[in-house]
Amino acid sequence: MTQRNVYISNMPLDEALKLYRAQLENPLKVENVPVKSTLHRITTGPVFAHRSSPSDPCAAMDGIAVLSDRTQGANEKNPMQLSEHEDYEYVNTGNLMPKDKDSVIMIEDVKPIHEGVIEIVEAAYSWQHVRQVGEDIIAYEMLLPSCHKVRPMDLGALISGGVPSVDVFEKLKVGILPTGNEIVQEFDALSRGKIIDSNSSVIEGLLIEMGCLTKIYCPCQDEPEALKAAIEKGLVENHMLITIAGSSAGAKDYTVSTIEALGEVIVHGVAIKPGKPTILGKVNGKSVVGLPGYPVSAFFAFEAFVKPLIESWHGQMDAMSIHEGVLTQRVVSSLKHEELVRVTLGEVNHKWVVTPLSRGAGTTMSLVKADGILTIPRLSEGIERGEKVSIKLLKPLHTLSERLVVIGSHDLLLDMIADRMPMTSTHVGSLGGIMALIKDECHMAPIHLIDEKTGIYNISSVQRFFPKRKMILIKGVKRLQGLMVRKGNPKAIHTFQDLMRTEIVFINRQKGAGTRQLLDYELSKLGVNSDQIKGYHREAVTHMAVAVTVASESADVGLGVYSAAKSMNLDFIEVGYESYDFLIAYEMLNDFRVQHFIELIKSPYFKKQMTEIGGYSLEETGDIVEIGEAYD
Amino acid sequence: MTQRNVYISNMPLDEALKLYRAQLENPLKVENVPVKSTLHRITTGPVFAHRSSPSDPCAAMDGIAVLSDRTQGANEKNPMQLSEHEDYEYVNTGNLMPKDKDSVIMIEDVKPIHEGVIEIVEAAYSWQHVRQVGEDIIAYEMLLPSCHKVRPMDLGALISGGVPSVDVFEKLKVGILPTGNEIVQEFDALSRGKIIDSNSSVIEGLLIEMGCLTKIYCPCQDEPEALKAAIEKGLVENHMLITIAGSSAGAKDYTVSTIEALGEVIVHGVAIKPGKPTILGKVNGKSVVGLPGYPVSAFFAFEAFVKPLIESWHGQMDAMSIHEGVLTQRVVSSLKHEELVRVTLGEVNHKWVVTPLSRGAGTTMSLVKADGILTIPRLSEGIERGEKVSIKLLKPLHTLSERLVVIGSHDLLLDMIADRMPMTSTHVGSLGGIMALIKDECHMAPIHLIDEKTGIYNISSVQRFFPKRKMILIKGVKRLQGLMVRKGNPKAIHTFQDLMRTEIVFINRQKGAGTRQLLDYELSKLGVNSDQIKGYHREAVTHMAVAVTVASESADVGLGVYSAAKSMNLDFIEVGYESYDFLIAYEMLNDFRVQHFIELIKSPYFKKQMTEIGGYSLEETGDIVEIGEAYD
């Protein structure tokens, strides 16, 4: 009687996978690939934009480009005639704006009088129907995070962002070694007692779908020396080897003993059916997986072990399904169209919250950032905040539930965190963040709100908005705010008073932004009427957007943080330090996502990054401040 | 002022797509591809197995092969010693069964005494732990339907079923033509006012994901003659051409007028946002789609029109999500394992019903047939019939809801119907079908149940099981039943009496099968005790399974229909015609799925197919017989 392997364990799936994963290092090296060849490849690090898109102001509509000042006074009663080349130029959507024009009037609103002369009946406002620099992509912003599988829509963002090539993981090379005396690979070789090898093709197909390079070897005889040689060869030529059949405890099942002789068997036998007699082995630091010979067992063992292993080396991205959530912002839509709104999703307090992304048709990034699509049917005027909606998912749901949902004020540090942990952040300013927190629409609100009496940041605002709720302020950073101007300060701007000069064009932040509050606070101290400032009503939603607007000469000055000014190579007139902190509900302090976040901002990595950027003080970062009483 | 196209319509999406689809013929020809190159290709017709799998009886366990008769009498008190080569041979899983052995005893139940002698303490029964011929795949059964995208698991079934090559659609060739004076394709060519072409790469990526061959052309200038030449060239070289930008009504939007000059504009302007200014055109019978230039508009217009159009030429298969349903059969599971059960889904009476498929680890086909996976956790004993379960879908849900759910007796004609309409059929015999209908677990039960008193088929059984419910019997076929024996009838079997001869091995159908009832009816007329028939308790679940068992000499005779005997080249001793009809609830008669079914069985196509097979009479096929009264 032949010798048989008798021992085979019954380890729970999770345990086996965890044990095995911990034993193996990621075998994949980094490869730099031209951007147009990156479809379905996986990024090894965050990818940043090289340039803004649009890179110059351009027409958002077909029509005429005008200087808005020139059109003031036109109305139904007093139509105004304009001359071509002198007062206006024809522009098509996407055309560069002429240097001396700041506004587009739609062709539908233009009445031709005769060749070279048209009439208008309404004044244009500044930047009307003009796509501003960086409206879609802002130079140096993060386009894709690490470990992201490049989808078709991502290609658009990379190319528009001027990224010539991308660092991606090399393709995993996997050898497939069928075993068994009875196995043949060609139909011609079939005879009584022989079995055609179908498993190798199935496993190869699954690997191809995961982006691997595959090689199927000739079936190996049930003979220890032959098997040893075949495994050794397969491991030299690949990152990983999968053997098929011979993984059990039968008389001719030599795989376990061979792997043991060459290296180490980490797991043999798992509590999954079908798929029990699986071998998870390691030889010379490389993975050797022995799949069972029964086709369904091989398939499920692959799905249970090989797939998650490769995914953990890669990161993952797939699937498409429908999921319900509650809308966090009102979405208005036209009756005429079915509208497709890109949204992000997050799970807050056992409820899925759906936040709309930018809706412009030119914003490639909204496709990249989107977790899903909300369809607003034709003949609907829109959907109210708080309503239940169905979302067509673009990403697997389980990757979304792990996310920290952040709504509030923007800072560069959020991008840095987002690359290190699952997170979605929406930038609606400090007050917008507090409102979202009141409605349980986010886990965390980054805020920087100054108390106009004491000059102390955040605490009094939290007390005012949450009079009966215990809250936690996670101390963030102190950051330097100041006026950003072009290099050399050509317009000699030094104080807030200078903003009132008529030749100075300002770019403001949106209502509810802490930076706008700071501006209003400074203006009120000076007794200045904000309407005297040209551009006060023009809004940008992030510090970087302000910096880009100034750098591209679309405005002369804006208020914002040092880091944004520095990254766009602008001069910076210091105004003072402000506290940028993170507000959460008291109950959320022990949430795994929040804990992960606190860990990250207290890490040496974070400190190093922020110091390199400059303009931040991190003395209290990660400290916990309790505000108010618990009432439950 | 330049001339502008002013008219652009606002057609609803569905209407536009329907109108456009109707104007175009499927441009794809058929290509025959070696089986191992068929991954992700789409079948043009049903694919049938060329051989059974396993093709010979083989061991399902590691152990010893014995003749079951030789082991009778062994028990704990009377252990039995057996000698190697004389009484037993060692076999491993997958090994051919020795010619004179019919049973396998697991190695764990074998006690070695000394070299060449072992002891057993339990008798083996016939076919114990033996994989029978055709257990996974039966020769000539349908492996894949038409318009099916080949997945990795499908490769396994095709190869196991001995299919050397497969007819698939040739790959769709699509040209992509970016337009616009400002568009450049390389970063080096960028200068002020130029825009890099990102759309073409996004659209190309989406097309590659659909299995198309793509070619991106150099950006075409906004110049009518250049555009005309580029469109003509693109159409000569491809099945379909997609132009990007210039699809609106601006001064330089020449696409509409150019397509109009070359062919026909079917739709210009659709009620979808973003994506409104889309052009759906036709030139020389080929599709030309003009996508808008804004990236997001181009993406959504592609998803809204190009994708469904190509899908309608291809058929489709993707997606992965979770769905709930009610289990129609009890599933027992071991506490030790997490078990993954392959299931089919169907929608019956606004309820999703989940039916488990074969659970053996060797059944590749269960993976191919599976609509989804039911996971039974470790430490669960199983799930009861009628319980709600969550299914991980392997196919898009909407393709499943269109399906006719059939549970009951099997006939070849069901395969033929299944290739022509969406349908899932489970073979549990006539009585099993009636039980499923009582519990609203299927739309239709195919039955052939003889009334032992009158000899009339089906009507009395329906009255007995549905005393208070109005039912409809859709008349099916009359089919010839008989005894199947090997060519030349080597064992001279002529009547049911012959089944009692000790050297004759019979193969029976499962309990509840109409054919088994017919056997019992004939045996009772003869006054025969069924236990006298060797093989009476051995069950096969379809006519083809019976025929394969006889053809492979694993049994000498079985009862079944002529068509099965003929397709396995067996001799056939006629027993008589029986009525094989389709039972539905009265309310289901006007269901679109049932109506589709009736149309099909009354069609000349069906008549022609059945006549070619032979052994069927179709005089009453499709006639409607009402049974019982309505009580609601």
Side-chain angles (χ1 to χ4, degrees):
Chain A
M1 187 185 162
T2 351
Q3 192 241 320
R4 286 169 181 275
N5 310 308
V6 282
Y7 180 73
I8 185 162
S9 77
N10 194 38
M11 193 180 283
L13 195 156
D14 291 353
E15 198 181 311
L17 184 58
K18 203 172 150 196
L19 188 67
Y20 191 45
R21 246 186 204 154
Q23 292 275 338
L24 295 166
E25 275 176 33
N26 189 341
L28 294 176
K29 297 208 185 72
V30 179
E31 201 170 66
N32 190 273
V33 167
V35 65
K36 289 185 185 176
S37 307
T38 56
L39 184 66
H40 299 160
R41 300 300 295 269
I42 295 150
T43 60
T44 55
V47 184
F48 297 96
H50 290 214
R51 54 201 302 276
S52 297
S53 172
S55 51
D56 300 285
C58 56
M61 290 283 181
D62 292 342
I64 58 169
V66 296
L67 185 66
S68 55
D69 282 352
R70 172 70 185 83
T71 67
Q72 299 312 310
N75 56 45
E76 290 285 352
K77 284 185 189 155
N78 305 296
M80 183 182 283
Q81 295 205 347
L82 300 176
S83 305
E84 194 171 357
H85 307 311
E86 196 168 316
D87 301 319
Y88 72 88
E89 302 287 348
Y90 280 108
V91 286
N92 282 311
T93 305
N95 284 166
L96 271 188
M97 286 296 286
K99 270 281 178 194
D100 57 342
K101 304 288 189 281
D102 70 344
S103 190
V104 170
I105 299 174
M106 285 195 294
I107 197 70
E108 292 89 325
D109 298 333
V110 169
K111 185 178 166 195
I113 300 301
H114 52 75
E115 185 69 28
V117 176
I118 58 92
E119 189 176 277
I120 58 170
V121 294
E122 195 180 2
Y125 54 88
S126 310
W127 303 285
Q128 168 181 290
H129 302 316
V130 174
R131 292 190 71 203
Q132 300 191 38
V133 173
E135 187 180 297
D136 184 358
I137 293 170
I138 294 177
Y140 315 120
E141 83 167 298
M142 189 172 75
L143 296 174
L144 300 177
S146 311
C147 298
H148 177 86
K149 188 169 176 179
V150 178
R151 298 164 300 169
M153 54 266 236
D154 300 328
L155 287 178
L158 292 171
I159 295 171
S160 297
V163 179
S165 64
V166 180
D167 280 347
V168 296
F169 287 111
E170 62 176 329
K171 292 191 177 186
L172 187 76
K173 281 191 249 172
V174 186
I176 301 167
L177 178 64
T179 73
N181 298 339
E182 72 282 16
I183 299 296
V184 296
Q185 252 171 348
E186 301 302 330
F187 289 121
D188 302 345
L190 270 177
S191 58
R192 205 180 119 78
K194 295 291 181 191
I195 295 177
I196 187 90
D197 173 27
S198 65
N199 282 326
S200 297
S201 295
V202 175
I203 297 304
E204 181 176 52
L206 293 168
L207 288 165
I208 287 172
E209 291 189 338
M210 299 191 76
C212 301
L213 296 174
T214 57
K215 179 171 184 182
I216 298 180
Y217 290 91
C218 288
C220 181
Q221 296 290 303
D222 290 322
E223 199 273 296
E225 281 310 308
L227 187 60
K228 183 162 172 269
I231 291 179
E232 281 181 321
K233 181 169 190 284
L235 280 172
V236 168
E237 297 179 357
N238 298 281
H239 293 113
M240 180 180 187
L241 185 68
I242 294 175
T243 69
I244 300 174
S247 66
S248 193
K252 291 184 175 171
D253 293 339
Y254 299 117
T255 313
V256 158
S257 54
T258 306
I259 295 174
E260 233 154 26
L262 289 168
E264 198 181 343
V265 171
I266 315 284
V267 175
H268 184 206
V270 283
I272 171 177
K273 182 182 169 184
K276 183 177 162 66
T278 299
I279 303 167
L280 306 178
K282 181 179 157 187
V283 174
N284 296 330
K286 286 182 177 177
S287 164
V288 190
V289 174
L291 297 180
Y294 270 131
V296 179
S297 306
F299 176 81
F300 279 123
F302 180 94
E303 293 278 308
F305 298 105
V306 182
K307 197 171 174 190
L309 184 64
I310 296 177
E311 277 173 349
S312 76
W313 291 338
H314 275 165
Q316 103 214 70
M317 191 63 39
D318 250 2
M320 171 74 82
S321 62
I322 300 291
H323 200 72
E324 281 206 337
V326 172
L327 204 59
T328 65
Q329 288 174 28
R330 188 176 178 217
V331 181
V332 181
S333 176
S334 146
L335 293 177
K336 284 197 300 186
H337 308 104
E338 176 175 300
E339 184 159 3
L340 304 158
V341 181
R342 279 78 67 206
V343 299
T344 61
L345 271 89
E347 198 210 351
V348 179
N349 248 346
H350 310 294
K351 176 181 80 177
W352 283 91
V353 293
V354 176
T355 306
L357 284 161
S358 159
R359 291 164 74 192
T363 53
T364 323
M365 278 308 288
S366 73
L367 273 185
V368 174
K369 285 180 187 160
D371 298 329
I373 306 289
L374 165 63
T375 302
I376 304 179
R378 224 171 135 241
L379 306 180
S380 158
E381 289 189 323
I383 303 177
E384 293 302 316
R385 179 175 185 165
E387 273 191 45
K388 262 206 173 165
V389 290
S390 286
I391 304 301
K392 189 173 169 194
L393 294 183
L394 296 171
K395 297 176 185 167
L397 198 64
H398 68 94
T399 64
L400 308 181
S401 63
E402 290 166 5
R403 289 217 193 130
L404 184 69
V405 181
V406 177
I407 299 183
S409 170
H410 179 258
D411 188 274
L412 264 187
L413 71 84
L414 293 177
D415 288 350
M416 213 162 299
I417 299 287
D419 185 47
R420 294 271 153 160
M421 71 174 281
M423 174 174 141
T424 156
S425 70
T426 308
H427 312 132
V428 295
S430 298
L431 282 177
I434 284 178
M435 292 306 146
L437 212 49
I438 288 173
K439 288 191 181 281
D440 262 343
E441 291 168 351
C442 66
H443 299 121
M444 179 184 284
I447 58 172
H448 55 118
L449 291 166
I450 191 165
D451 184 315
E452 298 197 10
K453 286 177 204 143
T454 64
I456 294 174
Y457 270 85
N458 299 330
I459 309 244
S460 64
S461 298
V462 174
Q463 285 166 336
R464 182 153 46 96
F465 285 107
F466 300 92
K468 297 197 168 179
R469 199 164 159 194
K470 194 165 177 181
M471 304 297 288
I472 295 283
L473 206 57
I474 302 166
K475 294 298 287 177
V477 294
K478 288 209 158 47
R479 61 183 191 183
L480 197 51
Q481 287 268 21
L483 293 170
M484 304 188 232
V485 296
R486 275 187 294 288
K487 203 74 197 167
N489 198 356
K491 300 223 170 159
I493 296 162
H494 302 291
T495 68
F496 285 100
Q497 217 107 28
D498 289 323
L499 303 188
M500 283 176 296
R501 282 157 46 195
T502 55
E503 80 279 18
I504 300 295
V505 179
F506 184 70
I507 171 81
N508 203 356
R509 290 291 306 280
Q510 84 282 16
K511 289 183 197 74
T515 303
R516 184 165 174 144
Q517 284 207 354
L518 175 62
L519 173 74
D520 291 346
Y521 171 67
E522 297 289 344
L523 294 179
S524 73
K525 283 202 294 188
L526 295 171
V528 166
N529 173 4
S530 58
D531 285 337
Q532 291 173 260
I533 299 175
K534 195 168 184 181
Y536 179 87
H537 296 291
R538 182 181 176 198
E539 300 183 347
V541 292
T542 65
H543 294 280
M544 280 300 282
V546 170
V548 163
T549 305
V550 173
S552 65
E553 306 189 21
S554 178
D556 300 310
V557 57
L559 183 60
V561 297
Y562 174 75
S563 55
K566 183 186 166 198
S567 69
M568 295 305 296
N569 199 26
L570 298 174
D571 274 6
F572 187 79
I573 300 128
E574 292 188 16
V575 169
Y577 277 91
E578 60 164 16
S579 293
Y580 178 86
D581 301 323
F582 305 97
L583 183 64
I584 59 169
Y586 178 76
E587 315 80 64
M588 286 302 293
L589 185 56
N590 289 316
D591 183 89
F592 72 101
R593 293 160 288 213
V594 172
Q595 284 296 321
H596 192 173
F597 176 85
I598 294 175
E599 232 170 71
L600 270 172
I601 61 171
K602 289 169 89 170
S603 69
Y605 161 81
F606 182 74
K607 196 158 279 178
K608 183 165 166 284
Q609 295 284 317
M610 297 308 284
T611 311
E612 269 174 26
I613 296 169
Y616 290 97
S617 150
L618 282 83
E619 282 151 40
E620 298 176 316
T621 303
D623 289 358
I624 302 299
V625 179
E626 293 187 15
I627 304 176
E629 293 300 323
Y631 284 77
D632 53 344
Chain B
M1 187 187 160
T2 350
Q3 192 241 320
R4 285 170 182 275
N5 310 308
V6 281
Y7 179 73
I8 184 163
S9 77
N10 195 36
M11 192 180 284
L13 195 155
D14 292 352
E15 200 182 310
L17 184 58
K18 203 173 150 193
L19 188 68
Y20 191 44
R21 248 188 203 152
Q23 292 275 337
L24 295 166
E25 274 175 35
N26 190 341
L28 295 175
K29 296 208 185 72
V30 179
E31 200 170 69
N32 190 273
V33 167
V35 65
K36 290 184 184 176
S37 307
T38 56
L39 184 67
H40 300 159
R41 300 301 293 268
I42 295 152
T43 60
T44 54
V47 185
F48 297 96
H50 289 216
R51 55 202 302 277
S52 297
S53 171
S55 50
D56 299 285
C58 56
M61 290 283 182
D62 293 341
I64 58 170
V66 296
L67 185 66
S68 56
D69 281 353
R70 172 70 186 82
T71 67
Q72 299 312 311
N75 56 45
E76 289 285 353
K77 284 186 192 156
N78 304 297
M80 183 181 283
Q81 294 205 346
L82 299 175
S83 304
E84 193 171 358
H85 306 311
E86 196 167 314
D87 300 320
Y88 73 88
E89 302 286 349
Y90 279 109
V91 285
N92 282 311
T93 306
N95 285 166
L96 270 189
M97 286 297 287
K99 271 279 178 195
D100 57 342
K101 304 288 190 282
D102 70 346
S103 190
V104 169
I105 298 173
M106 284 196 293
I107 196 68
E108 293 89 323
D109 298 334
V110 170
K111 185 178 167 195
I113 300 300
H114 53 74
E115 183 70 28
V117 176
I118 58 92
E119 190 176 276
I120 57 170
V121 293
E122 194 180 2
Y125 54 89
S126 308
W127 302 284
Q128 167 181 291
H129 303 317
V130 174
R131 292 189 72 203
Q132 299 191 38
V133 174
E135 188 180 296
D136 185 358
I137 293 170
I138 294 178
Y140 315 121
E141 82 168 299
M142 190 171 73
L143 297 174
L144 300 177
S146 310
C147 298
H148 177 87
K149 187 168 177 181
V150 178
R151 298 165 299 170
M153 53 267 235
D154 300 328
L155 288 178
L158 292 171
I159 294 171
S160 297
V163 179
S165 64
V166 181
D167 280 348
V168 296
F169 287 110
E170 64 174 328
K171 292 191 177 187
L172 187 76
K173 281 190 249 173
V174 187
I176 301 167
L177 178 64
T179 73
N181 298 340
E182 71 281 16
I183 299 296
V184 296
Q185 252 171 349
E186 299 302 330
F187 290 120
D188 301 345
L190 271 177
S191 59
R192 206 180 119 77
K194 295 292 181 190
I195 294 177
I196 187 91
D197 173 28
S198 65
N199 283 326
S200 297
S201 295
V202 175
I203 299 302
E204 180 176 53
L206 293 169
L207 288 165
I208 287 171
E209 290 189 340
M210 298 192 77
C212 300
L213 297 173
T214 57
K215 179 169 182 182
I216 299 179
Y217 290 91
C218 287
C220 181
Q221 297 288 304
D222 291 322
E223 198 273 296
E225 281 311 308
L227 188 62
K228 183 162 172 266
I231 290 179
E232 281 180 320
K233 180 169 192 284
L235 279 172
V236 168
E237 296 179 358
N238 298 281
H239 294 113
M240 180 181 189
L241 184 69
I242 295 175
T243 69
I244 301 174
S247 66
S248 194
K252 292 185 174 170
D253 294 339
Y254 299 117
T255 313
V256 159
S257 53
T258 306
I259 296 174
E260 233 154 25
L262 289 168
E264 196 180 345
V265 171
I266 316 284
V267 175
H268 185 206
V270 283
I272 172 178
K273 182 183 169 184
K276 183 176 161 64
T278 298
I279 303 167
L280 306 178
K282 181 178 155 187
V283 175
N284 297 329
K286 287 182 175 175
S287 164
V288 191
V289 174
L291 298 180
Y294 269 133
V296 179
S297 307
F299 177 81
F300 279 123
F302 180 92
E303 293 277 309
F305 299 105
V306 182
K307 197 172 174 189
L309 184 65
I310 296 177
E311 277 172 351
S312 76
W313 291 339
H314 274 166
Q316 106 215 66
M317 191 62 40
D318 250 2
M320 171 75 80
S321 63
I322 299 290
H323 200 71
E324 280 206 337
V326 172
L327 204 59
T328 65
Q329 289 174 27
R330 187 175 179 218
V331 181
V332 181
S333 176
S334 145
L335 293 178
K336 284 196 301 187
H337 308 105
E338 175 175 301
E339 184 158 3
L340 305 160
V341 180
R342 278 79 66 206
V343 300
T344 61
L345 271 88
E347 197 210 352
V348 179
N349 248 347
H350 310 294
K351 176 182 81 177
W352 283 91
V353 293
V354 176
T355 306
L357 285 163
S358 158
R359 292 163 75 193
T363 53
T364 323
M365 279 306 290
S366 71
L367 274 184
V368 174
K369 286 180 186 159
D371 297 329
I373 306 289
L374 166 63
T375 301
I376 304 178
R378 225 170 136 242
L379 306 180
S380 159
E381 289 189 324
I383 304 177
E384 294 302 316
R385 180 175 184 166
E387 274 191 44
K388 262 207 171 163
V389 289
S390 285
I391 304 300
K392 189 174 169 193
L393 294 183
L394 296 171
K395 298 176 185 167
L397 199 63
H398 68 95
T399 65
L400 306 182
S401 63
E402 291 166 4
R403 287 215 192 132
L404 183 69
V405 180
V406 176
I407 300 184
S409 170
H410 179 258
D411 187 275
L412 263 187
L413 72 84
L414 293 177
D415 287 350
M416 212 163 299
I417 300 287
D419 185 47
R420 294 271 153 161
M421 70 175 280
M423 173 174 143
T424 157
S425 70
T426 308
H427 311 133
V428 295
S430 298
L431 283 177
I434 284 179
M435 293 305 146
L437 211 49
I438 288 173
K439 288 191 181 284
D440 263 345
E441 291 168 352
C442 65
H443 299 122
M444 177 183 285
I447 57 172
H448 56 119
L449 291 166
I450 191 166
D451 183 316
E452 297 197 11
K453 286 179 204 141
T454 63
I456 293 174
Y457 270 86
N458 299 331
I459 309 245
S460 64
S461 298
V462 175
Q463 285 166 336
R464 185 150 47 96
F465 284 107
F466 299 93
K468 298 196 168 181
R469 198 165 160 194
K470 194 164 177 181
M471 304 297 288
I472 295 284
L473 206 56
I474 302 166
K475 294 299 288 177
V477 294
K478 288 210 158 48
R479 62 183 190 182
L480 197 51
Q481 287 268 22
L483 294 170
M484 304 187 232
V485 297
R486 275 187 294 286
K487 203 77 198 166
N489 199 357
K491 299 223 170 158
I493 297 163
H494 301 291
T495 68
F496 284 100
Q497 218 107 29
D498 288 323
L499 303 188
M500 282 177 296
R501 281 155 49 195
T502 55
E503 81 278 18
I504 301 296
V505 179
F506 185 69
I507 172 81
N508 203 355
R509 290 291 306 281
Q510 84 281 16
K511 290 184 197 72
T515 302
R516 184 165 173 145
Q517 284 204 356
L518 175 61
L519 174 75
D520 291 346
Y521 171 66
E522 296 290 344
L523 294 180
S524 73
K525 282 203 294 189
L526 295 172
V528 167
N529 173 3
S530 58
D531 284 338
Q532 290 173 261
I533 299 175
K534 195 168 183 179
Y536 180 87
H537 296 291
R538 183 182 177 198
E539 300 183 348
V541 292
T542 65
H543 295 279
M544 280 301 281
V546 169
V548 163
T549 305
V550 173
S552 66
E553 306 190 22
S554 179
D556 299 311
V557 56
L559 184 60
V561 296
Y562 174 75
S563 56
K566 183 185 167 201
S567 70
M568 296 304 297
N569 199 26
L570 298 175
D571 273 6
F572 188 78
I573 300 128
E574 291 189 16
V575 170
Y577 277 91
E578 60 163 15
S579 294
Y580 178 87
D581 301 325
F582 304 98
L583 183 65
I584 59 169
Y586 179 76
E587 313 82 64
M588 284 304 292
L589 185 56
N590 289 316
D591 184 271
F592 73 99
R593 293 160 288 213
V594 171
Q595 284 296 321
H596 192 174
F597 176 84
I598 294 174
E599 232 169 71
L600 270 172
I601 60 171
K602 289 168 90 170
S603 68
Y605 160 80
F606 182 73
K607 197 158 279 179
K608 182 163 167 283
Q609 295 284 318
M610 298 308 284
T611 311
E612 270 175 24
I613 296 170
Y616 291 96
S617 149
L618 282 81
E619 282 151 41
E620 298 176 317
T621 302
D623 288 359
I624 303 299
V625 179
E626 293 187 16
I627 302 175
E629 293 299 322
Y631 286 79
D632 53 345

